[in-house]
Amino acid sequence: ETGVTQTPRHLVMGMTNKKSLKCEQHLGHNAMYWYKQSAKKPLELMFVYNFKEQTENNSVPSRFSPECPNSSHLFLHLHTLQPEDSALYLCASSQEAAGETQYFGPGTRLLVL
Amino acid sequence: QKEVEQNSGPLSVPEGAIASLNCTYSDRGSQSFFWYRQYSGKSPELIMSIYSNGDKEDGRFTAQLNKASQYVSLLIRDSQPSDSATYLCALNPSSYKLIFGSGTRLLVRP
């Protein structure tokens, strides 16, 4: 098990549902990230938080809403998703958001029906 | 031109051979370079980081960086079937985020 945990590991939701993904890091890092990984596509950076402040929103649709209450926890709130949002959602953390080594959680496999 | 380019593969090598994985990048200001391994259905795990021109060795893995030619490579010696995975190149293009390549799939034949 890595120092970054994610729950749930698998999620199936309908397009009208509201759900949240949770990430927690136990590494004492100050930066946290959300990535989306679709089949046969590169990792897509979604959001960056550095010292609890959002420093990057990579043109992500508003149906994805991040929340970072402290440096150890990161949430991704989901509502009215589309089937094309089905993907592996990965959380990562690094000491600071300065291009340093990022450590990934196990991911949440999301299926939108 | 993509910021980070990798051949998607698969790269097929026999067990015990050297696997050579390559990555080219476009931003000359990139300072930090990383190789991650990702097994199917799993999350990426860090193999090595490299910051200076030249070679960096860690066990069976050697990372090579050439900033003038804008490429970074990963050599895996004595390849094992358990090395079969997708290898992601990542770099920091003068900003605070990492950019990932699409990965090269490696297949080590027993």
Side-chain angles (χ1 to χ4, degrees):
Chain A
E1 185 68 273
T2 66
V4 182
T5 59
Q6 289 186 244
T7 56
R9 297 291 302 273
H10 301 273
L11 179 62
V12 180
M13 59 187 290
M15 290 189 285
T16 58
N17 292 157
K18 289 185 180 181
K19 297 287 184 183
S20 295
L21 309 185
K22 178 183 175 182
C23 175
E24 183 174 2
Q25 58 94 3
H26 312 272
L27 301 170
H29 289 165
N30 296 302
M32 297 186 76
Y33 311 78
W34 279 118
Y35 287 89
K36 175 184 178 183
Q37 189 174 37
S38 304
K40 299 184 178 180
K41 284 188 174 182
L43 279 169
E44 299 174 53
L45 179 65
M46 300 175 72
F47 302 103
V48 180
Y49 278 83
N50 198 28
F51 291 93
K52 301 190 298 179
E53 298 297 320
Q54 188 180 124
T55 55
E56 178 90 8
N57 178 336
N58 208 22
S59 302
V60 180
S62 60
R63 57 186 184 269
F64 295 91
S65 175
E67 179 189 1
C68 187
N70 54 61
S71 292
S72 299
H73 294 85
L74 186 64
F75 295 89
L76 187 62
H77 304 299
L78 316 172
H79 63 97
T80 59
L81 294 192
Q82 304 299 310
E84 60 264 29
D85 296 322
S86 299
L88 179 67
Y89 288 85
L90 292 159
C91 174
S93 72
S94 64
Q95 186 59 48
E96 291 184 19
E100 298 180 6
T101 303
Q102 294 181 17
Y103 296 90
F104 286 85
T108 295
R109 175 70 63 183
L110 173 66
L111 177 61
V112 181
L113 300 177
Chain B
Q1 183 185 5
K2 293 180 182 177
E3 290 184 271
V4 183
E5 295 216 44
Q6 294 183 259
N7 188 318
S8 61
L11 173 65
S12 181
V13 301
E15 184 174 356
I18 296 176
S20 177
L21 305 161
N22 299 310
C23 172
T24 58
Y25 60 94
S26 58
D27 190 330
R28 286 190 173 275
S30 301
Q31 299 295 321
S32 310
F33 303 84
F34 306 87
W35 282 101
Y36 286 82
R37 177 176 62 199
Q38 186 173 25
Y39 291 112
S40 180
K42 303 294 186 181
S43 62
E45 55 179 325
L46 180 71
I47 297 177
M48 292 187 72
S49 59
I50 186 168
Y51 304 94
S52 304
N53 279 327
D55 296 359
K56 179 180 178 183
E57 187 175 318
D58 184 0
R60 295 186 297 113
F61 299 95
T62 298
Q64 299 175 318
L65 175 60
N66 185 321
K67 291 185 179 180
S69 300
Q70 294 175 249
Y71 81 79
V72 56
S73 61
L74 180 70
L75 301 178
I76 307 176
R77 289 182 299 282
D78 189 23
S79 296
Q80 301 297 309
S82 58
D83 294 326
S84 298
T86 296
Y87 289 80
L88 304 173
C89 171
L91 52 94
N92 164 275
S94 310
S95 68
Y96 55 83
K97 59 186 180 183
L98 294 186
I99 302 297
F100 285 82
S102 55
T104 297
R105 191 158 68 93
L106 173 66
L107 177 63
V108 181
R109 308 187 304 270

